[in-house]
Amino acid sequence: KQLSADSVLQLKLFSALSADLLSTNRSSVFSGHHGQLSLTAVFLDEYRDRLFLGGKDVIYSLLLGPTTSESKEIYWPPLPGNREDCIQTGKEPQMECANFVRLLQPYNRTHVLACGTGAFQPMCAFINVGHRGEHVFTMDPTNVENGRGKVPHDPSLPFASTFNGGELYTGLTADFLGRDSVIFRSMGGRSTMRTETDQKLLHDPKFIAAHLIPDNDDRDNDKVYFFFTEKATEAGDREGAIHTRVGRVCANDVGGQRVLVNKWSTFIKARLVCSVPGPHGIDTHFNQLGEMHANLLHLHTHLPPLINVFQGFAVCVYRMADIREAFNGPFAHKEGPDYQWGVYEGRVPYPRPGVCPSKITNQPGREFGSTKDFPDSVLQFARNHPLMWRPVYPALRQPVLVKANIPYKLKQIVVDRVEAEDGQYDVMFIGTDVGTVLKVIALHSGNSLETEEVTLEELQIFKVPTPITSMDISVKRQALYVGSPAGVAQVKLHRCETYGNACAECCLARDPYCAWDGSLCARYLPNSKRRFRRQDIRHGNPMLQCMDQKLSEELDVTEHRMAYATENNSTFLECVPRSPQATLTWLVQRDDRKDEVKLDDRMMSTDQGLLIRHVVRQDEGLYICRSREHGFTQTLARLTLEVLQGETVDELMARDNPGLAWMPCNAYSRASTSSQSRTWFKDIMQLIGPSKLPHVEEYCERMWCNDKLRRKHKSMLEKYRQAQESARKARSKSSVERNRMPRDLRAREE
Ligand SMILES: *[C@@H]1O[C@H](CO)[C@@H](O)[C@H](O)[C@H]1NC(C)=O
Ligand SMILES: *[C@@H]1O[C@H](CO)[C@@H](O)[C@H](O)[C@H]1NC(C)=O
Ligand SMILES: *[C@@H]1O[C@H](CO)[C@@H](O)[C@H](O)[C@H]1NC(C)=O
Ligand SMILES: *[C@@H]1O[C@H](CO)[C@@H](O)[C@H](O)[C@H]1NC(C)=O
């Protein structure tokens, strides 16, 4: 019961919350030039200050400026005839037989490589994007190359790629039927490399990410790592078990001379474990919980190598050192079909498989300058023993974050390493399948292994519940680019001023980006000269930090709002704490008596406000919302609830009601509505309830969304604004104690 009521509320708040993000200029959304942008590829170019987006038959270039973002478009459909051929083979015309751009990689100083599915006939082309500072965006449609092995044929199949030294590394299925799973290297001067077709090497893999991660200063040791999930042959009787893997190849692998010609000779892989230690030594493994979305994050290259693999409800952090150790450890071995998997205890040939030809292998007497020099015994061993025996465990042997029993799935993760007063913090941005992004930090308390999870913010990025498919952080712009089928949003990483205007509030927020500077909650910059900085991320204790900062006076500035309900129906009194850790309490004041609101089936406190079902007249009164956190209490909202009787919503709707006429028909989809009308809009939403939402939309459409009526609407809006203005004047004249608006005024607002 609780859940369904909450999900209804969620729906109700979607429009309100995303509107808040938009109205504070914290977020802006790009949905393409034709409405729906079916986003399939993103490349954030920090150097050129551009964002490249690939979609269905289209590529966009967005110039990222401080205020505006100019956009250019290239229409890039499949080659002539290919769409028809695709349809002929029985594929779906809209969802499959188009050119879905899957790859956008920087190629050289002036060009970006783009590849698309080309209606099941992959193709690639170079886009001229010009030099830094100019907004050039052109493609020669006749100069198109075969994209086989560079992107999958099927737009729905998973795929990962990285571009390095003029060569493209891809993990994908490279055939029409989507069965040939390979790791490919193409382009550049050398011959194309691939994995052998063998389930020992790759067994129905789903590629997640690919990155070049150097071992050390010796470029000959550079390795390309692939992160994927696959069917685990070593799982034995647990048929169909899926394991998360890290696999790697040497960047200078050119295959063998007689065996493994143009095939990887250095490919090895290990299992990545993400589990919670349980009692009796039995761990809960996250990749056993059915189909999970594994995502990977590679921190900025200037940071210590660290990799987060993210599975369903757990976030695990792996150290590169641990990954390398697993690859340096024993190989897994299976004697024959009837044997168990075990550790390989025999002699490992030299050079050890997985080792790149380099200075170390190329010494007098042992001259292996290239993989072509590797003895056949090494290549045979590599071919038969691609899997390492030891898995890679996460740092501290447990996830940094576990979320259970949540009504959404986690789809994407990116991490920003932030300098704060007391050290560095990894701020995780987690994208869900319902269009939200959670901003989370995980804290270790003292020397214990326990982690405390602090949700700093929950951002509703998209108005509609839509899965988040990409996230990129621009350090330069301090912005997060969030992609979904609905479009791409630019969201500021922090908005310190929303944490309120008191030292205590700023401190309680525990946001590593923000600190109290003596007069404001503002962006914390570690090397700034300002002496007065108050921040307490670990404990969020304002008692210590803000002792001298006149606490109580500042904390009780709340505006007073009206709320409406229809008798026997539900209503929602919104009150969103500034910190997700705060608990809300509600008081109701009637006839000078203040009582705590008794919570039950009818009065439910949610983390975004109070839900009252089956409203009765006696519910009228002044509701006071307070939040409590770390012993601090502050008043967040005062709402006077008014219960309307007799008149049903349908009657309200049926009338050409001037009270509703202010509401712009595009209130749902545009950022341009004034914040005033938005608040009013929210009130109306509360009044009519979520089930009427489509009805309202329809009503808007009918009433105002044609030009003739739009003009009329405009003048009505003007009238409404005047009414609002006089209402505000009247209100400001009246005393603070007054809870109700005068009857005539209310009538006008209604
Ligand atoms: C948002 O940006 C626009 C245009 O730059 C500006 O006019 C407006 O005042 C800003 N709004 C807020 C709340 O900062
Ligand atoms: C980049 O590559 C494209 C495509 O091969 C080529 O036409 C162009 O001249 C190159 N630009 C530079 C600066 O090398
Ligand atoms: C409650 O609200 C719903 C939707 O707005 C409406 O259909 C219904 O008639 C209302 N019920 C009562 C008893 O007013
Ligand atoms: C609300 O319900 C009560 C009892 O069921 C009924 O007497 C009353 O008329 C209803 N009010 C409205 C406005 O529907």
Side-chain angles (χ1 to χ4, degrees), residues 658 660-667 673 700 703-721:
L660 286 172
W662 60 271
M663 193 162 65
C665 48
N666 54 8
T673 56
C700 281
M703 291 309 294
W704 303 308
C705 293
N706 63 59
D707 278 344
K708 208 173 83 200
L709 285 165
R710 200 168 264 146
R711 278 192 295 276
K712 181 177 159 206
H713 163 222
K714 213 170 161 186
S715 71
M716 280 174 141
L717 188 62
E718 213 42 60
K719 269 188 218 142
Y720 161 72
R721 288 219 177 98

Side-chain angles (χ1 to χ4, degrees), residues 107-112 125-128 131 143 145 187:
Y107 182 68
N108 61 20
R109 297 223 329 260
T110 51
H111 284 69
V112 164
F126 293 104
I127 314 169
N128 183 3
H131 290 278
N143 197 3
E145 293 173 10
M187 307 183 67

Side-chain angles (χ1 to χ4, degrees), residues 72 125 284 676:
K72 290 194 172 174
T284 303
Q676 202 178 58

Side-chain angles (χ1 to χ4, degrees), residues 335-579:
E335 199 59 50
D338 300 330
Y339 288 78
Q340 297 273 310
W341 279 90
V343 58
Y344 179 77
E345 280 165 338
R347 199 188 72 87
V348 176
Y350 185 89
R352 185 190 151 89
V355 166
C356 309
S358 67
K359 282 192 217 64
I360 304 187
T361 60
N362 197 19
Q363 283 168 1
R366 320 176 112 187
E367 276 148 27
F368 304 110
S370 147
T371 54
K372 283 205 168 33
D373 304 331
F374 283 2
D376 286 356
S377 60
V378 168
L379 304 180
Q380 292 294 3
F381 187 91
R383 178 189 245 172
N384 291 322
H385 299 89
L387 180 66
M388 307 315 297
W389 173 245
R390 289 199 197 116
V392 184
Y393 290 98
L396 301 175
R397 281 251 172 182
Q398 62 178 11
V400 291
L401 180 68
V402 179
K403 283 217 173 230
N405 304 322
I406 43 171
Y408 51 83
K409 284 189 190 142
L410 311 187
K411 298 288 280 184
Q412 293 285 326
I413 184 167
V414 285
V415 174
D416 191 22
R417 189 159 279 188
V418 182
E419 292 285 341
E421 188 81 351
D422 57 352
Q424 287 182 329
Y425 290 88
D426 286 334
V427 179
M428 293 179 264
F429 293 86
I430 295 171
T432 70
D433 62 339
V434 292
T436 57
V437 168
L438 310 176
K439 180 173 159 189
V440 180
I441 51 173
L443 299 172
H444 294 284
S445 36
N447 46 11
S448 94
L449 278 181
E450 292 289 298
T451 54
E452 182 198 355
E453 167 208 334
V454 183
T455 304
L456 302 169
E457 295 186 276
E458 188 168 346
L459 307 166
Q460 180 71 51
I461 309 289
F462 297 101
K463 282 185 289 274
V464 289
T466 178
I468 285 172
T469 54
S470 77
M471 286 204 291
D472 294 277
I473 287 179
S474 164
V475 177
K476 195 161 144 190
R477 305 218 149 267
Q478 291 288 292
L480 179 69
Y481 294 91
V482 186
S484 81
V488 176
Q490 170 182 293
V491 189
K492 290 183 178 144
L493 295 177
H494 40 79
R495 191 98 200 171
C496 299
E497 56 275 28
T498 59
Y499 292 131
N501 39 22
C503 177
E505 289 178 308
C506 191
C507 186
L508 283 170
R510 302 171 77 178
D511 191 328
Y513 290 109
C514 305
W516 182 252
D517 72 355
S519 57
L520 279 176
C521 195
R523 172 77 168 112
Y524 174 80
L525 293 169
N527 42 11
S528 71
K529 291 281 181 295
R530 306 187 84 139
R531 310 272 335 139
F532 192 94
R533 304 295 283 168
R534 303 293 169 86
Q535 205 186 29
D536 185 10
I537 295 148
R538 248 157 234 295
H539 314 289
N541 187 346
M543 294 289 192
L544 282 173
Q545 293 292 316
C546 307
M547 226 140 48
D548 51 342
Q549 295 288 302
K550 287 184 249 143
L551 282 167
S552 51
E553 281 171 42
E554 293 167 283
L555 283 179
D556 246 10
V557 255
T558 17
E559 57 170 324
H560 173 225
R561 282 179 283 144
M562 293 296 297
Y564 302 93
T566 45
E567 199 177 10
N568 297 345
N569 235 326
S570 311
T571 189
F572 184 65
L573 306 182
E574 189 181 350
C575 175
V576 184
R578 294 206 177 92
S579 150

Side-chain angles (χ1 to χ4, degrees), residues 567-569 649 688 691-692:
E567 199 177 10
N568 297 345
N569 235 326
V649 174
I688 60 182
S691 62
K692 283 285 169 192

